[in-house]
C-alpha cells in the first residue's frame, strides 16, 4: 500500500485536507518529526483502522488462548455466557 509522508508542522497546518486525502485515496499519511526524522504518528483511512482493530483483537484473543490453554476451557461456552451476561446488563 502506498503512503504519504508529511512533517508534524505540515500535519498540523493541513490536518483536515490530509484526513480527506487519506480517506479518498485509501492511503495512510505518515507523520514524521522534521528534526529527528522520527516517526510521530499516522492518519489512516477508516477501513484501514477497522482492519487494524480486528487484527489487534484477533492477536489478543490468540495470546489469551495460549496463556490459558492449560485450563482446558470451553471457549465457545465462555463466549456464549459472556454474551448473555452483557445482554442482561444492557436490558
Amino acid at each position: 500500500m502506498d503512503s504519504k509522508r508529511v512533517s508534524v508542522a505540515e500535519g498540523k497546518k493541513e490536518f483536515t485536507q490530509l484526513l480527506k486525502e487519506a480517506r479518498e485515496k485509501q492511503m495512510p499519511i505518515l507523520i514524521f518529526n522534521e528534526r529527528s526524522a522520527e516517526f510521530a504518528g499516522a492518519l489512516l483511512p477508516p477501513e484501514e483502522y477497522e482492519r487494524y482493530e480486528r487484527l489487534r483483537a484477533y492477536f489478543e484473543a490468540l495470546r489469551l488462548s495460549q496463556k490459558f490453554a492449560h485450563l482446558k476451557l470451553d471457549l465457545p461456552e465462555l463466549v456464549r455466557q459472556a454474551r448473555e451476561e452483557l445482554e442482561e446488563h444492557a436490558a
Side-chain angles (χ1 to χ4, degrees), residues 42-71:
L43 298 173
L44 299 174
E47 298 81 8
E48 188 66 21
Y49 177 76
E50 290 166 2
R51 180 177 171 270
Y52 160 78
E53 282 296 311
R54 284 191 306 274
L55 284 170
R56 189 186 62 73
Y58 169 77
F59 284 117
E60 178 63 12
L62 184 61
R63 183 188 72 78
L64 289 172
S65 70
Q66 290 171 344
K67 180 177 180 179
F68 297 115
H70 68 283
L71 297 177

Side-chain angles (χ1 to χ4, degrees), residues 19 29 64 79:
L19 277 177
I29 309 290
L64 289 172
V79 169

